[in-house]
Amino acid sequence: MPQTQSAPGALDRYAHWLRGRPAPTPSWSPSSDLGADFISFTGGQPATELFPLEPLKAAFGRALVEDGAAVLPYSENIGLDALRQLICRRVARRGIHVGPDQVIVTSGSLQGLHLLGRVYLDPGDTILTEAPTFLGALPCWEKEEPRYLTVPVGADGLDLDRFEATVRAAPVPPKFVYLLPTFQNPSGVSLVAARRRRLLRLAQEHDLLLVEDDPYGELWFDDEAARLPPLRSLDGAAEHVLYLGSFSKILAPGLRLGYTIAPPGLIARLVAAKEGVDFHTDGVVQQAVVRLCDGSVDFDLEAHIAAARRVYKQRRDALLGALEQAFGPRARWTRPGGGFFLWLDLPAGARAAAVVVAARKEGAGVLPGTAFFPDGGGEHALRLSYANTPPERVAEGVRRLARAVSAAAE
Ligand SMILES: Cc1ncc(COP(=O)(O)O)c(C=O)c1O
């Protein structure tokens, strides 16, 4: 008899096998069923108009037709040499000087976080994060059921006095410190340069591994923000900083192309772990990005990123202006120097959960601050993304949000 349906009881049996495993965390994947009039400030999606479609088409064509014999078979787990060389040249522009043996290409930078968990975490370990932090990272480590210690982020980034006190008071040292020092997701704030040096000194003093997640670092809006040095670029950082980069925000997230920079010994462990996950990142995608950047097609990645900076700055300014008009002194928000997000502290009395529901009814999407704290917080705040909202829609979106705030307060 053809098996078109699950046998009765099969689902119960799965439930039995899954008993005792942590429940899945809610998905943060973008939803697409909201209608054309809906104005979303929710996702980490880049501006879709910026995707370089024609150059990508040409680069994929060349990668397949001219290089297919080399990149269609299985290839090295660590990633294509030409792409790792390209990554080394690009990160050198920001002061990170490494060779290709210190780079592993990953399927999105998120996979680097996952591989790190596999090679590095033991069940019940402690991870220290910023509060708020990028909660999308946490499912990477859920198998090991870590404990989280958190340290608040203020206008100048991580509070280092609290950080030091937390590290000193921890009964066991955190296995690593997960950080987004530049244009943080979700708050948009950055760790000021002087604090970066102190943070590295503290890491050296307490023998800590800092995991620097930096997908937005190249998307700055002014000279001061452009000069923020990645932690990994500081003197003495090689031993204490593992750096994650991505092509998602500067090219397109659907490529699923990221990289991790670490000392060669740790890279070897990450490579071994990757073999058990997906063997290697899609060879055609890797080669297409090489072709995109090596002069084979009509495209200049640096000019593309410079244009993206202008687009995102314009969108940030539109959102800042609309918030000022709609809320004035009743609310407070951050003023990001780059990246995709800002953080809105709601007017007194407004609760994020109620505002999110009311905003959806009004036709605007926002995320509650609570979605960004591993151990509670953010009840009166929202994360707003300006990256994929055309500026002419921003003012209307914020008016809807302001109506939602009033409705939620009633
Ligand atoms: C801070 C941060 N890290 C990692 C990622 C995931 O990036 P990728 O697409 O390279 O996996 C995101 C995506 O939104 C992010 O905001």
Side-chain angles (χ1 to χ4, degrees):
M1 200 172 75
Q3 295 281 305
T4 50
Q5 284 187 326
S6 307
L11 287 178
D12 293 344
R13 208 171 304 130
Y14 283 118
H16 167 72
W17 287 328
L18 289 169
R19 195 166 300 141
R21 305 217 51 80
T25 36
S27 167
W28 53 284
S29 298
S31 24
S32 52
D33 59 348
L34 299 164
D37 184 51
F38 195 83
I39 301 174
S40 177
F41 298 106
T42 54
Q45 197 73 265
T48 44
E49 310 87 303
L50 286 174
F51 297 152
L53 296 181
E54 284 305 319
L56 276 172
K57 185 174 156 195
F60 270 93
R62 295 192 78 147
L64 266 176
V65 176
E66 291 170 39
D67 313 322
V71 299
L72 284 171
Y74 291 116
S75 58
E76 280 208 79
N77 309 126
I78 192 169
L80 299 185
D81 186 57
L83 181 60
R84 289 181 295 120
Q85 303 266 7
L86 168 78
I87 290 165
C88 292
R89 286 194 298 278
R90 295 210 69 255
V91 296
R93 302 163 68 98
R94 298 186 60 225
I96 300 176
H97 299 288
V98 289
D101 61 338
Q102 287 167 271
V103 180
I104 174 174
V105 176
T106 53
S107 305
S109 59
L110 211 53
Q111 189 183 53
L113 296 172
H114 174 68
L115 297 177
L116 178 69
R118 277 187 66 140
V119 303
Y120 204 67
L121 284 178
D122 293 312
D125 271 347
T126 299
I127 298 173
L128 194 153
T129 74
E130 297 162 315
T133 186
F134 170 54
L135 235 62
L138 273 42
C140 296
W141 309 312
E142 70 187 2
K143 177 90 165 52
E144 289 77 19
E145 299 186 51
R147 283 170 12 90
Y148 286 97
L149 290 174
T150 60
V151 174
V153 168
D156 289 339
L158 190 70
D159 179 334
L160 290 190
D161 291 336
R162 296 275 289 272
F163 175 79
E164 186 168 6
T166 305
V167 169
R168 284 188 192 282
V172 283
K175 207 61 176 287
F176 58 78
V177 181
Y178 175 61
L179 294 160
L180 304 103
T182 311
F183 319 135
Q184 204 227 21
N185 178 2
S187 68
V189 303
S190 296
L191 189 64
V192 293
R195 284 197 192 183
R196 292 178 185 234
R197 294 192 183 88
R198 181 173 162 210
L199 176 61
L200 182 61
R201 278 200 303 278
L202 288 170
Q204 289 164 332
E205 198 178 308
H206 295 277
D207 199 23
L208 298 169
L209 174 66
L210 307 178
V211 175
E212 178 177 25
D213 192 4
D214 192 27
Y216 304 99
E218 292 180 273
L219 297 173
W220 60 75
F221 303 149
D222 56 53
D223 290 347
E224 194 188 334
R227 282 196 297 271
L228 287 169
L231 294 173
R232 181 59 183 76
S233 71
L234 301 178
D235 281 349
E239 296 290 310
H240 287 277
V241 181
L242 179 139
Y243 179 90
L244 296 125
S246 177
F247 288 93
S248 287
K249 314 297 175 173
I250 56 170
L251 267 183
L255 297 171
R256 308 306 306 126
L257 200 58
Y259 52 92
T260 300
I261 294 175
L266 186 50
I267 289 289
R269 299 288 187 106
L270 296 172
V271 167
K274 186 163 168 71
E275 190 162 351
V277 176
D278 61 357
F279 210 65
H280 61 72
T281 293
D282 186 318
V284 179
V285 169
Q286 292 187 63
Q287 183 63 11
V289 170
V290 169
R291 284 293 198 168
L292 194 67
C293 301
D294 72 357
S296 308
V297 303
D298 184 15
F299 184 72
D300 176 345
L301 180 57
E302 307 316 322
H304 177 75
I305 296 173
R309 284 182 198 124
R310 290 192 288 276
V311 168
Y312 294 129
K313 182 174 193 289
Q314 195 194 19
R315 292 179 181 202
R316 178 207 62 174
D317 290 344
L319 184 54
L320 291 174
L323 289 170
E324 187 60 50
Q325 272 221 318
F327 293 106
R330 292 189 302 127
R332 287 188 321 160
W333 50 89
T334 57
R335 191 187 160 79
F340 283 11
F341 309 104
L342 68 71
W343 189 255
L344 172 67
D345 287 319
L346 289 164
R351 294 187 67 80
V355 172
V356 169
V357 173
R360 213 181 156 86
K361 284 192 197 136
E362 293 284 346
V366 288
L367 289 184
T370 46
F372 301 94
F373 290 81
D375 54 2
E379 288 82 3
H380 301 282
L382 303 176
R383 185 193 79 173
L384 303 186
S385 167
Y386 41 81
N388 195 26
T389 312
E392 62 278 9
R393 303 276 284 150
V394 167
E396 172 56 20
V398 172
R399 277 194 291 274
R400 293 178 189 182
L401 175 61
R403 285 200 297 273
V405 169
S406 306
E410 280 161 11

